[in-house]
Amino acid sequence: SSSFLVCLAPGDGGRLEPRWKLAPPTDPAGPAAWEGAPVVAGGRVFAAYSRPSGNRVTYGVACYDDPPGKPVWAADLCDAPS
């Protein structure tokens, strides 16, 4: 995948350094890409993704409690013409 969420944190000398890098959820229907900025709430990371397939695009949300691990859950929410 060429789409990643990256968490940055201050490192030595105040420079930002990556803490983790996260690819979108995998699906047999095809590759996905992150959409927009993630939201952090209650210690969890929520992020929207899209997955094109033919002339349609499926949109969904994934929830992580310890990135870069596997999602706690991921749900396709809707699809639309591309």
Side-chain angles (χ1 to χ4, degrees), residues 13-28:
R15 294 183 56 134
L16 292 177
E17 297 179 2
R19 286 186 55 198
W20 48 259
K21 180 178 173 181
L22 185 62
T26 57
D27 189 287

Side-chain angles (χ1 to χ4, degrees), residues 30-78:
W34 294 116
E35 296 284 344
V39 174
V40 178
R44 290 190 166 177
V45 176
F46 300 86
Y49 60 87
S50 64
R51 185 178 51 256
S53 180
N55 63 351
R56 308 282 300 170
V57 178
T58 300
Y59 297 95
V61 174
C63 172
Y64 296 83
D65 65 1
D66 67 346
K70 294 189 184 287
V72 174
W73 55 262
D76 291 347
L77 303 177
C78 65

